[in-house]
Amino acid sequence: MPARTWWVLAAISLLLVAVPILLFNQQHSGDRLKIRRELRKF
């Protein structure tokens, strides 16, 4: 595989992980400790 393909795969996977986390943070923006506890479960 060319190196560029790995960069594209990495970028896509980061987006797929980051989007749900950002949405979750917006819903619970007032309680950052709760977010940290939730993230520790995974």
Side-chain angles (χ1 to χ4, degrees):
M1 269 186 163
R4 178 180 252 179
T5 305
W6 287 112
W7 282 110
V8 172
L9 288 173
I12 292 172
S13 58
L14 278 173
L15 281 173
L16 288 175
V17 170
V19 169
I21 289 173
L22 287 173
L23 290 173
F24 184 82
N25 283 348
Q26 285 179 356
Q27 289 174 3
H28 302 277
S29 58
D31 195 352
R32 295 198 174 265
L33 288 174
K34 186 177 181 183
I35 292 167
R36 285 183 191 161
R37 277 188 227 126
E38 292 293 323
L39 290 176
R40 279 183 198 159
K41 290 178 183 175
F42 298 110

